[in-house]
Amino acid sequence: MRIKSVRCHVLSAPVERPFTSSRGWLYKTRNTCLVEIETDDGIVGWGECYGPSAVAKAFIDTQFAAQIVGRDPCDIEVIWEHLYNRIKDYGPSGMAIAAISGIDIALHDIVGKACGLPVHKLIGGAFRSDVECYATGLYFIDMDRVVEEAVEEAEEFVSQGFRAVKMKIGLGSLKADFERVKAVRDAVGPDVKLMVDANHAFPVPIAIRLGRMLESIDIDWFEEPISPEDIDGYVEVSRALDMAVAGGENGFTRWGFRDIVARKAMDIVQPDVCAAGGLSECRKIATLAIAHGVECVPHAWGSVVGVAATLHFLAALPDQPPAFRPYSPMLEFEQCENPFRDDLSPEPIVQKNGRVAIPTGPGLGIEIDRAVIEKYRVA
Ligand code: CA
């Protein structure tokens, strides 16, 4: 079996109700770069790259595709190392690694389909057949109704079956953030897990002060309180707070996560399989984390391809630590408008009672509807 072709599909879909986080960028569209790799015996594997789609496509088209055509798709790690070593003088992190991630996921899909096995069987097997998921949402949409809309959205998630919700914070005032989170906590009650995500909006002292306030209303983790470059700052915030501090969605490769986990700068690291280097590299990051007593709970913000890849990664992730009733890693199930999550596969991945089944079909275990690709293709 040899790789015959590598093709990128850049897709974009408008969002009916644009939303923003603490960064203030207005999300008016959802975008993705899907990677389609075909073998000489007709097997097609799908991958996805996180981040600016056209940039991922440019890396793959100009730097990587020619490097892998003709190679055996089973040589996943050999190909990974080759591509990384080709690019590391220019792109040891960032979009070059997101591009490798999409290729790595597509190769796993191919090998699984060739063997008739789901991807999690290729990477060690399943510790669980389903995972708890949390709804990511509660962005800022109508700035005149930030509290009301957060409460309504959280209540809607709970009514759909979610037992865990992550909300955005970063309104520029400790009081405004606290009151909004408190309103959501009061609305969902004490039995729903609630996490907050600042998208690195705060300086260290503000993060610690707000964290102490939020601890009083039982928040499971404080995600990206401060800038990802400031590892010393993460050490300070993590030590100052009782609640878990999470981050790392903007981290790449085992080398990018090494100092974070070795210094226990975060309690939870959140590599994204579509960004940090694919399934191969996220497995290494998770092992590194486990060895240092840091939890690995992956970030996910993509299409059904990325969600499926994340589910296989989660299936093969041991509990940290194993226990009679362990605190198992959760799936980030982002819930903003996204046709690539909901419509790209004829059978979308769904949650029931706050849990998502690990796909069991060959490869990623999902079908791709090419009509949806054509509908949203960027010319
Ligand atoms: Ca986040």
Side-chain angles (χ1 to χ4, degrees):
M1 185 166 59
R2 297 283 152 184
I3 294 168
K4 190 175 83 180
S5 65
V6 182
R7 199 173 161 211
C8 290
H9 305 275
V10 172
L11 311 182
S12 182
V15 166
E16 204 174 300
R17 296 190 71 210
F19 56 91
T20 191
S21 70
S22 69
R23 283 174 295 188
W25 307 339
L26 200 58
Y27 289 90
K28 294 179 182 170
T29 57
R30 297 304 299 261
N31 307 290
T32 193
C33 174
L34 297 181
V35 182
E36 178 185 8
I37 300 182
E38 190 174 358
T39 66
D40 55 3
D41 49 1
I43 297 176
V44 170
W46 293 93
E48 179 172 12
C49 310
Y50 182 64
S53 317
V55 181
K57 177 175 162 44
F59 267 111
I60 291 175
D61 287 352
T62 67
Q63 305 299 313
F64 296 144
Q67 295 294 322
I68 65 173
V69 168
R71 299 186 73 137
D72 182 343
C74 297
D75 293 344
I76 298 178
E77 298 232 0
V78 180
I79 289 171
W80 196 101
E81 295 289 334
H82 177 74
L83 296 182
Y84 180 74
N85 284 300
R86 288 284 301 197
I87 205 72
K88 75 175 182 182
D89 288 0
Y90 328 100
S93 70
M95 288 310 296
I97 307 302
I100 294 176
S101 304
I103 292 171
D104 181 89
I105 293 167
L107 294 179
H108 279 87
D109 192 22
I110 287 172
V111 177
K113 285 169 176 167
C115 303
L117 294 172
V119 163
H120 60 261
K121 292 284 186 189
L122 309 177
I123 56 173
F127 287 94
R128 51 194 73 82
S129 57
D130 65 355
V131 285
E132 186 179 4
C133 62
Y134 68 88
T136 290
L138 284 69
Y139 284 74
F140 312 134
I141 301 173
D142 179 349
M143 295 312 290
D144 295 327
R145 296 187 71 249
V146 279
V147 175
E148 293 88 341
E149 71 184 6
V151 166
E152 289 159 10
E153 197 179 335
E155 286 174 335
E156 172 64 23
F157 289 143
V158 172
S159 76
Q160 292 167 4
F162 281 102
R163 306 301 300 153
V165 174
K166 188 171 80 188
M167 64 185 292
K168 296 294 172 181
I169 57 172
L171 288 168
S173 136
L174 294 176
K175 186 167 172 286
D177 274 325
F178 179 77
E179 283 178 358
R180 183 163 169 275
V181 180
K182 173 86 165 53
V184 171
R185 167 53 81 205
D186 290 345
V188 299
D191 297 331
V192 172
K193 288 181 190 167
L194 188 58
M195 292 79 78
V196 297
D197 184 356
N199 292 93
H200 48 75
F202 303 130
V204 168
I206 295 289
I208 292 173
R209 283 175 63 195
L210 180 57
R212 285 181 180 146
M213 292 163 74
L214 292 171
E215 279 174 343
S216 69
I217 51 172
D218 192 20
I219 301 302
D220 265 63
W221 74 61
F222 191 169
E223 181 167 320
E224 289 209 275
I226 62 166
S227 232
E229 303 90 343
D230 185 6
I231 297 182
D232 287 328
Y234 267 99
V235 172
E236 277 186 70
V237 176
S238 297
R239 298 297 180 275
L241 298 179
D242 290 336
M243 79 166 109
V245 170
E249 67 186 72
N250 23 44
F252 301 88
T253 78
R254 72 201 84 158
W255 299 285
F257 279 87
R258 178 187 55 203
D259 293 345
I260 293 170
V261 298
R263 298 185 61 195
K264 293 192 86 153
M266 300 167 186
D267 301 290
I268 299 167
V269 287
Q270 302 171 299
D272 188 313
V273 296
C274 299
L279 290 158
S280 304
E281 197 63 8
C282 285
R283 296 271 296 158
K284 296 181 171 76
I285 293 164
T287 303
L288 203 57
I290 291 166
H292 289 86
V294 172
E295 280 184 77
C296 178
V297 183
H299 173 262
W301 215 77
S303 79
V304 68
V305 176
V307 174
T310 305
L311 282 169
H312 290 286
F313 174 68
L314 280 164
L317 201 59
D319 289 319
Q320 303 165 63
F324 170 46
R325 286 179 177 162
Y327 291 85
S328 297
M330 286 191 286
L331 170 73
E332 175 165 23
F333 206 11
E334 175 262 315
Q335 294 292 307
C336 296
E337 282 178 66
N338 187 353
F340 310 129
R341 181 193 61 237
D342 296 338
D343 304 337
L344 189 59
S345 174
E347 276 186 59
I349 292 169
V350 294
Q351 63 85 24
K352 269 197 194 122
N353 301 319
R355 301 192 72 84
V356 178
I358 307 295
T360 53
L364 291 173
I366 51 164
E367 300 293 324
I368 298 296
D369 183 349
R370 288 184 184 273
V372 174
I373 290 184
E374 294 315 321
K375 180 175 175 188
Y376 294 108
R377 182 185 299 286
V378 176

